Amino acid sequence: MAKESILDLLTEDRFAAMETVYSERERVIPWGGWRTGLVMYLSVLEAAAIARPTNNAGKDTMEAALVKACFGNQRSFVISLTHGARVGLLFGDDCRLVSRAGQVRYHVTPDGKSRLCHQAGISLSSAEVYDVDFTSPGIFELNLGDESPIIHHPNLPARYAGECQIIAAWAQGVWFEHGVERRAKAIADKARLDVGANHGDPGIWKEHPGKMARNTAVTDLWRYLPRTADMDAASQAVSEEEDAHPVRKTFEKASPMNLPDAGTLGDAHVRDRDGLVIAPDQAEPETKE
């Protein structure tokens, strides 16, 4: 007999197993609060799937596809919730379930990564870079060396005045180790963002391009940050999802010190460790007859 609700899949034995995993480390939110949040998240998810099962093209909505995956592959559903219990973030804004090729996967959102960094004493910042940010009053300086910050002042008047394009995104983490400030950086150039858009959900990239660009940069930065047990658990979940989808690993993983080429970023001002400006290629593009 088919189950009528996702919540029917969560027996008390499964809740008990998740509680054991959740209690491995001290939590700010007690188990009861985390469990209540999970139940509310699944209830809202299922209600959304029932209210709008298909989109305008007649295909399953993301919510409907996810509900089907929960029923169709209960093992991946339970494993994803176990990942969630191990990481300890509240389901909703900080983490969620996603459907990948008929399986359920655990996904930590950019807000969730920021929260994990905050709990670890790491100040995380990120932003998307538009082509107009290289003209006054905009500034974008990517300084080499861990001791130098990224300087970015968006050209808001130009952004709002006309069409502009996202050409890069950056992320930076700052923390103190033995009283010394440490810093790690990552930048995702246009080619990297295109890979993410081509292998991700095109609808989300089209609707939220800035947020997805920032998420890509944070993802690249993530591997260079110091880790807590919760951050390691989140990274393990991400690694398992990438292993299940090797096409997502076709791009070359960049070092946080790798620079995008000048043709991608335009007239970017890039300074080396000594403060000297590395001039980008100023050659005029060839015009086609």
Side-chain angles (χ1 to χ4, degrees):
M1 182 176 178
K3 299 289 186 180
E4 295 183 354
S5 171
I6 302 178
L7 297 178
D8 294 332
L9 303 177
L10 297 181
T11 63
E12 286 303 319
D13 288 342
R14 286 175 172 173
F15 269 126
M18 282 190 285
E19 181 180 6
T20 300
V21 173
Y22 189 81
S23 303
E24 288 176 352
R25 290 185 288 280
E26 184 177 352
R27 305 292 186 185
V28 175
I29 300 173
W31 160 252
W34 188 87
R35 171 174 172 165
T36 300
L38 172 61
V39 171
M40 292 179 61
Y41 168 77
L42 294 177
S43 299
V44 171
L45 168 66
E46 195 164 41
I50 294 173
R52 189 167 180 263
T54 58
N55 56 26
N56 295 333
K59 297 182 179 181
D60 289 339
T61 60
M62 289 188 295
E63 294 81 4
L66 179 53
V67 170
K68 286 184 178 180
C70 293
F71 285 120
N73 197 317
Q74 295 185 28
R75 183 176 181 274
S76 66
F77 175 56
V78 174
I79 289 176
S80 297
L81 294 183
T82 303
H83 278 312
R86 182 166 288 111
V87 175
L89 293 171
L90 285 176
F91 275 91
D93 293 335
D94 291 342
C95 64
R96 62 190 59 166
L97 300 179
V98 295
S99 174
R100 296 281 190 269
Q103 295 191 11
V104 182
R105 297 291 177 182
Y106 174 73
H107 173 69
V108 178
T109 67
D111 290 340
K113 291 178 179 178
S114 296
R115 189 175 300 278
L116 290 175
C117 287
H118 177 74
Q119 293 173 357
I122 302 171
S123 176
L124 181 65
S125 56
S126 62
E128 65 273 31
V129 183
Y130 285 81
D131 49 6
V132 295
D133 290 344
F134 300 111
T135 58
S136 181
I139 298 174
F140 181 75
E141 292 184 1
L142 177 61
N143 300 288
L144 298 180
D146 292 344
E147 71 280 0
S148 303
I150 294 174
I151 300 175
H152 181 200
H153 299 292
N155 188 345
L156 295 180
R159 288 190 188 185
Y160 295 133
E163 293 185 1
C164 51
Q165 181 183 9
I166 295 176
I167 58 174
W170 60 267
Q172 182 173 238
V174 181
W175 67 96
F176 286 88
E177 183 178 341
H178 305 299
V180 178
E181 184 180 88
R182 304 295 185 187
R183 190 184 309 270
K185 318 172 213 177
I187 184 164
D189 62 11
K190 188 66 166 59
R192 171 69 177 93
L193 297 181
D194 287 344
V195 169
N198 291 334
H199 296 302
D201 188 318
I204 296 179
W205 276 87
K206 184 176 181 180
E207 188 175 355
H208 306 286
K211 186 172 184 179
M212 296 305 294
R214 294 193 300 272
N215 184 33
T216 302
V218 171
T219 299
D220 290 348
L221 172 70
W222 187 254
R223 66 180 66 90
Y224 301 107
L225 298 176
R227 301 292 182 82
T228 62
D230 292 341
M231 293 172 71
D232 275 335
S235 297
Q236 180 184 1
V238 171
S239 296
E240 290 186 2
E241 181 176 350
E242 288 182 345
D243 291 340
H245 299 80
V247 69
R248 293 172 175 269
K249 302 171 72 174
T250 55
F251 59 87
E252 181 181 355
K253 292 186 176 180
S255 160
M257 293 299 99
N258 280 359
L259 295 177
D261 59 63
T264 303
L265 278 184
D267 297 338
H269 293 163
V270 182
R271 300 178 186 275
D272 65 10
R273 221 177 257 271
D274 298 321
L276 301 176
V277 175
I278 304 174
D281 186 3
Q282 301 293 332
E284 293 293 332
E286 295 182 0
T287 57
K288 297 183 179 179
E289 294 294 338

